[in-house]
Amino acid sequence: MQSALVYGRLIVRALTGSVAYDASASLEYREHRRRCLRLITASCGFSKDSAAAAAVNVANQVFKRHTFGDDACFVAKYKDRDVLGVADGVGGWRDYGVDPSQFPSQLMKACERIVKSGKFVSDSPTAILSGSYEELMQNKTPLIGSSTACIIVFDNVNHILYSANLGDSGFLVVREGKVVHRSEEQQHYFNTPFQLSIAPPDLNSVLSDRPESASSASFPVREGDIILMATDGLFDNMPEGMILSELAKIKDATFGSIQEAVNSIAERARDLAYDPTHMSPFAQHARENGMAFIGGKPDDITVLLSTVYSEDDDT
């Protein structure tokens, strides 16, 4: 009501010649305008089979092939939407002579194509996942394999984060050092996550879920929030408190600082994965399911780390 009265007085004064009315210059107008927020995203990862991973500069690897072992990811933008995704292939396909990295890699590439074409529903990452899965199913040469998947879409104008998570990859939204939102993990039973699959016609025992089974959510994001997305190679080895401690070391909202942080997180997770005395989150879950297990879980690791900033900032 107060804003309406202020606008009314200004208009009356403008009509009487007392003042030149400029609504865009008023405090109320500026306060009601939404600033456009963006994501600065850096990435890092390791293949569990790469013994030389520690000796290389990982900062530029993820965008060469978009894969780390059987993991895959993508980072894309279309107009006022930032879209990120990770996928984790099911290694058991090696027993059938199938390369398990191909399915998640092609799934993420299909998602990226859909985003860059603009042919997606902005507030439904599930639709992006569904479209990419259907594209793989319609290939003339069937692409055999399985994968978990997690996709987020950030609406730069309305500051809403939309998510779809199928399986045990996932993401965290961190604000002022605390987790304020997280994805929901989906497991059929211990160490058997929900997954998308394409199997040969004569193989009927393959577990397969629909993209529509993904856990979906929306969450309002603020400037300064941190979004961490990763495959289970991170979450199975690194406790949440340790992740938060690493994120607290971020110096500023520049790409260099975010890249340094994501490198540190991925490297720490890789080291813990091969620590036989580490009581990892995976070991804790195993014990909850009656298995006497201790140590990390060697696995492929992919981490995408984003910070939310205003496009007006000089970052």
Side-chain angles (χ1 to χ4, degrees), residues 236-269:
D236 279 345
N237 288 297
M238 203 164 181
E240 187 173 289
M242 196 178 293
I243 294 174
L244 293 177
S245 295
E246 291 291 333
L247 293 177
K249 299 176 185 177
I250 296 177
K251 300 174 183 140
D252 50 51
T254 60
F255 177 79
S257 182
I258 301 303
Q259 185 68 69
E260 183 179 347
V262 74
N263 288 356
S264 179
I265 290 170
E267 289 167 2
R268 186 75 182 277

mmCIF file of all heavy atoms in Angstrom, residues 236-269:
data_model
loop_
_atom_site.group_PDB
_atom_site.id
_atom_site.type_symbol
_atom_site.label_atom_id
_atom_site.label_comp_id
_atom_site.label_asym_id
_atom_site.label_seq_id
_atom_site.Cartn_x
_atom_site.Cartn_y
_atom_site.Cartn_z
ATOM 1 N N ASP A 236 30.020 -41.599 -1.160
ATOM 2 C CA ASP A 236 30.306 -42.856 -0.478
ATOM 3 C C ASP A 236 31.594 -42.792 0.336
ATOM 4 O O ASP A 236 31.814 -43.628 1.223
ATOM 5 C CB ASP A 236 30.417 -44.011 -1.483
ATOM 6 C CG ASP A 236 29.056 -44.551 -1.896
ATOM 7 O OD1 ASP A 236 28.063 -44.243 -1.212
ATOM 8 O OD2 ASP A 236 28.988 -45.266 -2.915
ATOM 9 N N ASN A 237 32.456 -41.828 0.025
ATOM 10 C CA ASN A 237 33.769 -41.777 0.672
ATOM 11 C C ASN A 237 33.991 -40.572 1.569
ATOM 12 O O ASN A 237 34.813 -40.631 2.483
ATOM 13 C CB ASN A 237 34.869 -41.812 -0.402
ATOM 14 C CG ASN A 237 34.995 -43.167 -1.047
ATOM 15 O OD1 ASN A 237 35.320 -44.151 -0.384
ATOM 16 N ND2 ASN A 237 34.707 -43.241 -2.351
ATOM 17 N N MET A 238 33.265 -39.503 1.336
ATOM 18 C CA MET A 238 33.521 -38.259 2.064
ATOM 19 C C MET A 238 32.310 -37.862 2.892
ATOM 20 O O MET A 238 31.245 -37.560 2.341
ATOM 21 C CB MET A 238 33.875 -37.149 1.073
ATOM 22 C CG MET A 238 34.658 -36.011 1.656
ATOM 23 S SD MET A 238 35.387 -35.029 0.308
ATOM 24 C CE MET A 238 36.257 -33.805 1.267
ATOM 25 N N PRO A 239 32.423 -37.853 4.219
ATOM 26 C CA PRO A 239 31.293 -37.435 5.060
ATOM 27 C C PRO A 239 30.893 -35.991 4.779
ATOM 28 O O PRO A 239 31.713 -35.172 4.344
ATOM 29 C CB PRO A 239 31.843 -37.585 6.487
ATOM 30 C CG PRO A 239 33.007 -38.506 6.361
ATOM 31 C CD PRO A 239 33.590 -38.259 5.001
ATOM 32 N N GLU A 240 29.633 -35.691 5.036
ATOM 33 C CA GLU A 240 29.119 -34.348 4.750
ATOM 34 C C GLU A 240 29.900 -33.270 5.499
ATOM 35 O O GLU A 240 30.185 -32.199 4.954
ATOM 36 C CB GLU A 240 27.639 -34.283 5.119
ATOM 37 C CG GLU A 240 26.967 -32.995 4.709
ATOM 38 C CD GLU A 240 25.474 -33.040 4.951
ATOM 39 O OE1 GLU A 240 24.783 -33.773 4.218
ATOM 40 O OE2 GLU A 240 25.012 -32.367 5.901
ATOM 41 N N GLY A 241 30.254 -33.531 6.755
ATOM 42 C CA GLY A 241 31.009 -32.541 7.528
ATOM 43 C C GLY A 241 32.345 -32.219 6.901
ATOM 44 O O GLY A 241 32.795 -31.061 6.927
ATOM 45 N N MET A 242 32.984 -33.228 6.322
ATOM 46 C CA MET A 242 34.268 -33.016 5.658
ATOM 47 C C MET A 242 34.090 -32.202 4.382
ATOM 48 O O MET A 242 34.922 -31.342 4.041
ATOM 49 C CB MET A 242 34.918 -34.364 5.359
ATOM 50 C CG MET A 242 36.386 -34.301 5.035
ATOM 51 S SD MET A 242 37.088 -35.959 4.761
ATOM 52 C CE MET A 242 36.936 -36.659 6.418
ATOM 53 N N ILE A 243 32.997 -32.471 3.661
ATOM 54 C CA ILE A 243 32.701 -31.684 2.456
ATOM 55 C C ILE A 243 32.510 -30.216 2.823
ATOM 56 O O ILE A 243 33.041 -29.311 2.169
ATOM 57 C CB ILE A 243 31.450 -32.232 1.744
ATOM 58 C CG1 ILE A 243 31.714 -33.635 1.189
ATOM 59 C CG2 ILE A 243 31.017 -31.291 0.612
ATOM 60 C CD1 ILE A 243 30.489 -34.306 0.596
ATOM 61 N N LEU A 244 31.749 -29.964 3.881
ATOM 62 C CA LEU A 244 31.496 -28.584 4.314
ATOM 63 C C LEU A 244 32.793 -27.898 4.734
ATOM 64 O O LEU A 244 32.987 -26.696 4.483
ATOM 65 C CB LEU A 244 30.488 -28.569 5.461
ATOM 66 C CG LEU A 244 29.062 -29.009 5.095
ATOM 67 C CD1 LEU A 244 28.173 -29.015 6.334
ATOM 68 C CD2 LEU A 244 28.468 -28.096 4.028
ATOM 69 N N SER A 245 33.691 -28.632 5.372
ATOM 70 C CA SER A 245 34.979 -28.058 5.776
ATOM 71 C C SER A 245 35.789 -27.636 4.560
ATOM 72 O O SER A 245 36.451 -26.586 4.569
ATOM 73 C CB SER A 245 35.775 -29.068 6.605
ATOM 74 O OG SER A 245 35.123 -29.351 7.825
ATOM 75 N N GLU A 246 35.750 -28.438 3.509
ATOM 76 C CA GLU A 246 36.455 -28.085 2.280
ATOM 77 C C GLU A 246 35.819 -26.865 1.617
ATOM 78 O O GLU A 246 36.521 -25.981 1.112
ATOM 79 C CB GLU A 246 36.462 -29.268 1.313
ATOM 80 C CG GLU A 246 37.313 -30.440 1.755
ATOM 81 C CD GLU A 246 38.803 -30.129 1.732
ATOM 82 O OE1 GLU A 246 39.210 -29.268 0.932
ATOM 83 O OE2 GLU A 246 39.548 -30.746 2.499
ATOM 84 N N LEU A 247 34.494 -26.823 1.612
ATOM 85 C CA LEU A 247 33.807 -25.684 0.993
ATOM 86 C C LEU A 247 34.075 -24.388 1.746
ATOM 87 O O LEU A 247 34.078 -23.302 1.150
ATOM 88 C CB LEU A 247 32.299 -25.950 0.935
ATOM 89 C CG LEU A 247 31.849 -27.088 0.011
ATOM 90 C CD1 LEU A 247 30.338 -27.284 0.102
ATOM 91 C CD2 LEU A 247 32.256 -26.817 -1.430
ATOM 92 N N ALA A 248 34.310 -24.486 3.046
ATOM 93 C CA ALA A 248 34.579 -23.295 3.855
ATOM 94 C C ALA A 248 35.900 -22.633 3.467
ATOM 95 O O ALA A 248 36.142 -21.472 3.818
ATOM 96 C CB ALA A 248 34.590 -23.664 5.337
ATOM 97 N N LYS A 249 36.735 -23.354 2.731
ATOM 98 C CA LYS A 249 38.034 -22.809 2.333
ATOM 99 C C LYS A 249 37.956 -21.964 1.062
ATOM 100 O O LYS A 249 38.960 -21.366 0.661
ATOM 101 C CB LYS A 249 39.021 -23.958 2.109
ATOM 102 C CG LYS A 249 39.273 -24.808 3.350
ATOM 103 C CD LYS A 249 40.182 -25.989 3.015
ATOM 104 C CE LYS A 249 40.351 -26.929 4.198
ATOM 105 N NZ LYS A 249 41.182 -28.109 3.864
ATOM 106 N N ILE A 250 36.784 -21.931 0.429
ATOM 107 C CA ILE A 250 36.640 -21.132 -0.797
ATOM 108 C C ILE A 250 36.903 -19.666 -0.495
ATOM 109 O O ILE A 250 36.288 -19.078 0.396
ATOM 110 C CB ILE A 250 35.232 -21.317 -1.403
ATOM 111 C CG1 ILE A 250 35.037 -22.771 -1.847
ATOM 112 C CG2 ILE A 250 35.033 -20.376 -2.590
ATOM 113 C CD1 ILE A 250 33.645 -23.066 -2.392
ATOM 114 N N LYS A 251 37.810 -19.065 -1.239
ATOM 115 C CA LYS A 251 38.245 -17.698 -0.950
ATOM 116 C C LYS A 251 37.280 -16.649 -1.476
ATOM 117 O O LYS A 251 36.988 -15.660 -0.824
ATOM 118 C CB LYS A 251 39.635 -17.470 -1.557
ATOM 119 C CG LYS A 251 40.698 -18.408 -1.011
ATOM 120 C CD LYS A 251 42.006 -18.226 -1.762
ATOM 121 C CE LYS A 251 43.020 -19.238 -1.228
ATOM 122 N NZ LYS A 251 43.837 -19.828 -2.260
ATOM 123 N N ASP A 252 36.801 -16.855 -2.701
ATOM 124 C CA ASP A 252 35.902 -15.878 -3.314
ATOM 125 C C ASP A 252 35.131 -16.557 -4.437
ATOM 126 O O ASP A 252 35.350 -17.735 -4.739
ATOM 127 C CB ASP A 252 36.678 -14.663 -3.849
ATOM 128 C CG ASP A 252 37.859 -15.080 -4.721
ATOM 129 O OD1 ASP A 252 37.658 -15.895 -5.653
ATOM 130 O OD2 ASP A 252 38.980 -14.601 -4.485
ATOM 131 N N ALA A 253 34.231 -15.802 -5.057
ATOM 132 C CA ALA A 253 33.359 -16.364 -6.094
ATOM 133 C C ALA A 253 33.967 -16.210 -7.480
ATOM 134 O O ALA A 253 33.286 -15.842 -8.439
ATOM 135 C CB ALA A 253 31.989 -15.699 -6.041
ATOM 136 N N THR A 254 35.255 -16.522 -7.604
ATOM 137 C CA THR A 254 35.909 -16.511 -8.909
ATOM 138 C C THR A 254 36.092 -17.943 -9.396
ATOM 139 O O THR A 254 36.116 -18.885 -8.602
ATOM 140 C CB THR A 254 37.282 -15.832 -8.836
ATOM 141 O OG1 THR A 254 38.112 -16.556 -7.913
ATOM 142 C CG2 THR A 254 37.142 -14.387 -8.367
ATOM 143 N N PHE A 255 36.238 -18.090 -10.703
ATOM 144 C CA PHE A 255 36.401 -19.432 -11.248
ATOM 145 C C PHE A 255 37.639 -20.118 -10.675
ATOM 146 O O PHE A 255 37.615 -21.300 -10.344
ATOM 147 C CB PHE A 255 36.504 -19.379 -12.777
ATOM 148 C CG PHE A 255 36.744 -20.728 -13.393
ATOM 149 C CD1 PHE A 255 35.703 -21.624 -13.566
ATOM 150 C CD2 PHE A 255 38.030 -21.119 -13.790
ATOM 151 C CE1 PHE A 255 35.927 -22.885 -14.122
ATOM 152 C CE2 PHE A 255 38.256 -22.369 -14.334
ATOM 153 C CZ PHE A 255 37.202 -23.251 -14.508
ATOM 154 N N GLY A 256 38.725 -19.363 -10.543
ATOM 155 C CA GLY A 256 39.952 -19.946 -10.018
ATOM 156 C C GLY A 256 39.775 -20.499 -8.619
ATOM 157 O O GLY A 256 40.277 -21.588 -8.297
ATOM 158 N N SER A 257 39.069 -19.773 -7.786
ATOM 159 C CA SER A 257 38.839 -20.216 -6.414
ATOM 160 C C SER A 257 37.935 -21.448 -6.378
ATOM 161 O O SER A 257 38.169 -22.390 -5.605
ATOM 162 C CB SER A 257 38.213 -19.083 -5.595
ATOM 163 O OG SER A 257 38.031 -19.467 -4.255
ATOM 164 N N ILE A 258 36.895 -21.468 -7.212
ATOM 165 C CA ILE A 258 35.985 -22.609 -7.271
ATOM 166 C C ILE A 258 36.710 -23.834 -7.817
ATOM 167 O O ILE A 258 36.526 -24.954 -7.324
ATOM 168 C CB ILE A 258 34.760 -22.274 -8.144
ATOM 169 C CG1 ILE A 258 34.013 -21.065 -7.579
ATOM 170 C CG2 ILE A 258 33.820 -23.470 -8.230
ATOM 171 C CD1 ILE A 258 33.553 -21.225 -6.155
ATOM 172 N N GLN A 259 37.561 -23.637 -8.824
ATOM 173 C CA GLN A 259 38.317 -24.757 -9.372
ATOM 174 C C GLN A 259 39.270 -25.346 -8.327
ATOM 175 O O GLN A 259 39.405 -26.568 -8.204
ATOM 176 C CB GLN A 259 39.119 -24.301 -10.600
ATOM 177 C CG GLN A 259 39.842 -25.435 -11.317
ATOM 178 C CD GLN A 259 38.874 -26.397 -11.991
ATOM 179 O OE1 GLN A 259 38.222 -26.031 -12.962
ATOM 180 N NE2 GLN A 259 38.788 -27.622 -11.498
ATOM 181 N N GLU A 260 39.926 -24.483 -7.576
ATOM 182 C CA GLU A 260 40.827 -24.957 -6.527
ATOM 183 C C GLU A 260 40.078 -25.787 -5.489
ATOM 184 O O GLU A 260 40.561 -26.829 -5.029
ATOM 185 C CB GLU A 260 41.500 -23.751 -5.857
ATOM 186 C CG GLU A 260 42.510 -24.106 -4.787
ATOM 187 C CD GLU A 260 43.157 -22.876 -4.184
ATOM 188 O OE1 GLU A 260 43.007 -21.764 -4.748
ATOM 189 O OE2 GLU A 260 43.814 -23.020 -3.125
ATOM 190 N N ALA A 261 38.872 -25.344 -5.138
ATOM 191 C CA ALA A 261 38.075 -26.052 -4.135
ATOM 192 C C ALA A 261 37.605 -27.404 -4.648
ATOM 193 O O ALA A 261 37.671 -28.414 -3.928
ATOM 194 C CB ALA A 261 36.879 -25.197 -3.720
ATOM 195 N N VAL A 262 37.129 -27.456 -5.893
ATOM 196 C CA VAL A 262 36.616 -28.732 -6.415
ATOM 197 C C VAL A 262 37.749 -29.728 -6.622
ATOM 198 O O VAL A 262 37.586 -30.943 -6.413
ATOM 199 C CB VAL A 262 35.799 -28.511 -7.712
ATOM 200 C CG1 VAL A 262 36.682 -28.208 -8.901
ATOM 201 C CG2 VAL A 262 34.923 -29.727 -8.000
ATOM 202 N N ASN A 263 38.926 -29.237 -7.005
ATOM 203 C CA ASN A 263 40.087 -30.121 -7.105
ATOM 204 C C ASN A 263 40.404 -30.744 -5.753
ATOM 205 O O ASN A 263 40.651 -31.952 -5.645
ATOM 206 C CB ASN A 263 41.305 -29.343 -7.601
ATOM 207 C CG ASN A 263 41.220 -28.968 -9.064
ATOM 208 O OD1 ASN A 263 40.279 -29.342 -9.762
ATOM 209 N ND2 ASN A 263 42.191 -28.215 -9.530
ATOM 210 N N SER A 264 40.403 -29.913 -4.720
ATOM 211 C CA SER A 264 40.728 -30.383 -3.372
ATOM 212 C C SER A 264 39.723 -31.425 -2.884
ATOM 213 O O SER A 264 40.088 -32.438 -2.275
ATOM 214 C CB SER A 264 40.773 -29.197 -2.408
ATOM 215 O OG SER A 264 41.051 -29.615 -1.089
ATOM 216 N N ILE A 265 38.438 -31.189 -3.162
ATOM 217 C CA ILE A 265 37.386 -32.114 -2.727
ATOM 218 C C ILE A 265 37.526 -33.458 -3.436
ATOM 219 O O ILE A 265 37.482 -34.527 -2.807
ATOM 220 C CB ILE A 265 35.998 -31.506 -2.992
ATOM 221 C CG1 ILE A 265 35.754 -30.334 -2.029
ATOM 222 C CG2 ILE A 265 34.898 -32.558 -2.839
ATOM 223 C CD1 ILE A 265 34.529 -29.506 -2.363
ATOM 224 N N ALA A 266 37.713 -33.436 -4.752
ATOM 225 C CA ALA A 266 37.835 -34.684 -5.506
ATOM 226 C C ALA A 266 39.089 -35.460 -5.103
ATOM 227 O O ALA A 266 39.065 -36.689 -4.975
ATOM 228 C CB ALA A 266 37.841 -34.395 -7.005
ATOM 229 N N GLU A 267 40.188 -34.746 -4.898
ATOM 230 C CA GLU A 267 41.431 -35.408 -4.495
ATOM 231 C C GLU A 267 41.295 -36.043 -3.113
ATOM 232 O O GLU A 267 41.767 -37.164 -2.876
ATOM 233 C CB GLU A 267 42.574 -34.391 -4.507
ATOM 234 C CG GLU A 267 42.984 -33.962 -5.906
ATOM 235 C CD GLU A 267 43.884 -32.732 -5.894
ATOM 236 O OE1 GLU A 267 44.209 -32.249 -4.788
ATOM 237 O OE2 GLU A 267 44.244 -32.257 -6.985
ATOM 238 N N ARG A 268 40.630 -35.332 -2.211
ATOM 239 C CA ARG A 268 40.442 -35.872 -0.856
ATOM 240 C C ARG A 268 39.560 -37.125 -0.900
ATOM 241 O O ARG A 268 39.839 -38.121 -0.228
ATOM 242 C CB ARG A 268 39.798 -34.797 0.031
ATOM 243 C CG ARG A 268 39.683 -35.193 1.501
ATOM 244 C CD ARG A 268 41.021 -35.132 2.187
ATOM 245 N NE ARG A 268 40.947 -35.539 3.578
ATOM 246 C CZ ARG A 268 40.580 -34.760 4.586
ATOM 247 N NH1 ARG A 268 40.228 -33.490 4.355
ATOM 248 N NH2 ARG A 268 40.587 -35.211 5.823
ATOM 249 N N ALA A 269 38.518 -37.088 -1.695
ATOM 250 C CA ALA A 269 37.639 -38.255 -1.819
ATOM 251 C C ALA A 269 38.387 -39.436 -2.411
ATOM 252 O O ALA A 269 38.204 -40.585 -1.975
ATOM 253 C CB ALA A 269 36.428 -37.908 -2.680
#
